[in-house]
Each structure stands twice: as structure tokens, then as C-alpha cells.
């Protein structure tokens, strides 16, 4: 922009800027030549290349609008930095020592610490979701064995939910007998021996298990299909709250009082938006779960006649944006009949 500053601001304001610059930074140490520059051809030299990277992020103009919203911005990298480093990798020849260092450091600073929540896309002028780029890079890292394990988990998700609730119950029971610190030490020891990625910690704030049974509801006269998110089928109310009503119980009661009764299908367990798989790059598990849930939602909603409500916005978003769905069967995007909670409330 340097050659255009005078044209934009006029000679008086530009002269004023130069005088301030010369007073405050007489040796031109700060941003030398970046905005104030007397060379009229500066914009034609030292051009930065933008090599092509993955299609999802290759249009990035490196404006940085996405940076303030990124949850990892103060931990490792911002979305813009993830893309800039990716470009630098592409610029490097295969034998480059710099490339080796970037690849090594990018694993933690770029890939592992991205929440893959896609919130960066909300402020990007060209609509880039850096989380999608990172999910693509994670998918490339998955081995066939890991993919098979991810698929098995998806195929047995109802059992996984039961085991998770059982683990929560057992953990809380043990904590009440042995104490929180002793119970926390068990997963900590397993994490040290096995993997800090695969084995969760047991924090003092660990919520209790959700009840095994979802509230009884009726299909007759229902205003919407209600699919409680798997996280709300596994975790109950936080410890500081009474254990009842749970979120599904409260939502069913409030909706009925508001004249919009909800129906929870009897076979809701085991269905999920597939985000746990997509965000970690497990393509086979994601495809299986997305198709399974899409088919169930289609069936439960009578082919889209009833709206569908999900009680976690991240899961509703996962369903609405999932590219794997029922387009082939229905001829219209599956996401079009999934409504967010607010949308239902407005009706
Ligand atoms: S807001 Fe979009 S275009 Fe700007 S740096 Fe971020 S990803 Fe790139
Ligand atoms: S998806 Fe990744 S890069 Fe984008 S805002 Fe979330 S953590 Fe940041």
C-alpha cells in the first residue's frame, strides 16, 4: 500500500505522517518502508508468492481477520499462521532442512492444537474454515488400522455410550470411597504408560453419568423430532446442580408447556453428528456414522416433514454442514430439514 498512501490521504496528511515518523522513529527501525516509503516502485519488488495449497485454504489473503476468534491463538498458532506455514512448506524443496523443522513443529503447533471448531470461518472474508484444512491433514495421518478401529467404534456407539456412563458411575463411586486424588491418579498412571491422547484425565469437575433412560415422549402430535446430543446422553448435570431434571427432561417439559411437544425416538442412542470422527480425521467412522444418523433422521422425520431439533449447537452444526448424507435418496440437501433450537423456539 506504500505507493498509494499519498493518493489516499493527500499531501498534507501524508507530510504530517512523515514528520511524526521522523520524530518518533528517526532511524526508521519500526516497519521500515512498509507504509511510508519514498520509493514509487516498492510495490513491484520483493513480491510474496502464494503457492497453491489445499483447496479449502488456498484463497487465503492473509488478512488476519480470523485471528481474534481462534481459541488456540494464545497457545500455539492462529488460522492465518497455520495457512502461512503450510504455504512455506510448499515453497520448500523436499530436501530442505527448514521443511523438516516445519513439519515437526507443525504437528503440535498447527495440527494437534486446532480445536477444529471452524469458528474462524465466521470472520473470514473468503469463507475459509481452517479447521477443515486441519481435519484433512489429520485424515492423511490416519493408518488403515486406526481407521478400522474408528469404524468399529462408530458401529458400536450405543455400547460405547453405555460403557462411558458405566465408567463415570464407577469413577464417582470410587472417588466417594477413596477420594478424588486417588481416583485421578489411576488414569494419570495409564496416560503415562499408554497415551495422553487416548486416555482422558479425571478432573474434580468430572460430571456424573446421565440416566440410562431418556424421557418418555410420544410421536402423536409432536412438533419436532428431538435427538439429544450424545454428550447429553453420556454426561448428566454438573455436580453443583441437582441431578434432575436433566437437559433432555427439562427441554421435553418446557416444550410441552409451550405447546410444541417433542418426540425422542426410542432408538436415538447410538446416533451422532459424526463430529468425534471427522474432527480427528477418521474418515471411515465419520462416513458410517453420518450416513446412519442421516438415514435415521430421515426416517424419524417422515422424510423431512417434521423439523429436527438437537440440543447442542455444535452437533446441530455438525449435522447441518455434514457433506455425507442422504442427498442421493432425497434429491435435496439433508441439512435443509435440521433446525437449530432457536429456530424451533421462534416458531
Ligand atoms: S480471515 Fe480468511 S483470508 Fe484472512 S487470514 Fe484468515 S483465513 Fe486467511
Ligand atoms: S478451527 Fe482451528 S484454526 Fe479455526 S478457530 Fe478453531 S482452533 Fe482456530
Amino acid at each position: 500500500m506504500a505507493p498509494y498512501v499519498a493518493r489516499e490521504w493527500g499531501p498534507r496528511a501524508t507530510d504530517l505522517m512523515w514528520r511524526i515518523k521522523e520524530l518518533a522513529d528517526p532511524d526508521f527501525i519500526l516497519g521500515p518502508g512498509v507504509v511510508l516509503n519514498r520509493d514509487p516502485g516498492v510495490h513491484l519488488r520483493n513480491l510474496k508468492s502464494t503457492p497453491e495449497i489445499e483447496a479449502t485454504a488456498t484463497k487465503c489473503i492473509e488478512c488476519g481477520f480470523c485471528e481474534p476468534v481462534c481459541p488456540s491463538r494464545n497457545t500455539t498458532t492462529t488460522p492465518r499462521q497455520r495457512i502461512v506455514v503450510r504455504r512455506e512448506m510448499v515453497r520448500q524443496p523436499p530436501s530442505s532442512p527448514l521443511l523438516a523443522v516445519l513439519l515437526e513443529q507443525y504437528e503440535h503447533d498447527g495440527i494437534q492444537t486446532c480445536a477444529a471448531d471452524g469458528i474462524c470461518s465466521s470472520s473470514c472474508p473468503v469463507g475459509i474454515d481452517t479447521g477443515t484444512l486441519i481435519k484433512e491433514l489429520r485424515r492423511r495421518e490416519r493408518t488403515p488400522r486406526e481407521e478400522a478401529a474408528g469404524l468399529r467404534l462408530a458401529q458400536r456407539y450405543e455400547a460405547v455410550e453405555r460403557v462411558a456412563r458405566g465408567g463415570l458411575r464407577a469413577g464417582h463411586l470410587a472417588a466417594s470411597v477413596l477420594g478424588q486424588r486417588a481416583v485421578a491418579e489411576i488414569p494419570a498412571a495409564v496416560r503415562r504408560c499408554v497415551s495422553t491422547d487416548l486416555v482422558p484425565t479425571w478432573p474434580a469437575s468430572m460430571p456424573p453419568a446421565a440416566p440410562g433412560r431418556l424421557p418418555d415422549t410420544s410421536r402423536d402430535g409432536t412438533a419436532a423430532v428431538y435427538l439429544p446430543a450424545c454428550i447429553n446422553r453420556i454426561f448428566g448435570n454438573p455436580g453443583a446442580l441437582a441431578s434432575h431434571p436433566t437437559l433432555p427432561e427439562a427441554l421435553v417439559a418446557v416444550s410441552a408447556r409451550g405447546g410444541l411437544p417433542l418426540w425422542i425416538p426410542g432408538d436415538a442412542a447410538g446416533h451422532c453428528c459424526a463430529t468425534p470422527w471427522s474432527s480427528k480425521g477418521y474418515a471411515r467412522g465419520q462416513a458410517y456414522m453420518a450416513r446412519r444418523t442421516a438415514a435415521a433422521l430421515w426416517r424419524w422425520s417422515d422424510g423431512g416433514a417434521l423439523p429436527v431439533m438437537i440440543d447442542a449447537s455444535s452437533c446441530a452444526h455438525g449435522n447441518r454442514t455434514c457433506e455425507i448424507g442422504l442427498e442421493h435418496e432425497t434429491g435435496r440437501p439433508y441439512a435443509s430439514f435440521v433446525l437449530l433450537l432457536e429456530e424451533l423456539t421462534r416458531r
Side-chain angles (χ1 to χ4, degrees), residues 36-66:
L36 293 176
N37 194 318
R38 298 203 193 276
D39 178 356
V42 64
H43 60 305
L44 301 175
R45 280 187 287 284
N46 303 317
L47 295 176
K48 182 165 68 174
S49 66
T50 49
E52 191 161 345
I53 56 169
E54 286 73 13
T56 180
T58 202
K59 288 185 185 156
C60 175
I61 52 174
E62 299 182 14
C63 62
F65 285 171
C66 53

Side-chain angles (χ1 to χ4, degrees), residues 142-216:
R142 297 278 83 91
T143 62
R145 214 169 146 185
E146 289 172 335
E147 282 282 13
L151 177 63
R152 279 198 297 278
L153 271 183
Q155 289 167 333
R156 297 162 179 78
Y157 201 49
E158 192 176 345
V160 171
E161 290 175 31
R162 273 200 304 273
V163 169
R165 282 195 299 268
L168 286 169
R169 276 187 217 106
H172 279 286
L173 184 63
S176 67
V177 177
L178 304 172
Q180 160 66 24
R181 188 177 289 185
V183 172
E185 189 46 42
I186 298 168
V190 181
R191 279 162 65 84
R192 284 193 290 273
C193 302
V194 181
S195 160
T196 52
D197 276 345
L198 296 177
V199 182
T201 57
W202 185 273
S205 57
M206 181 67 92
R213 265 177 71 97
L214 289 164
D216 286 330

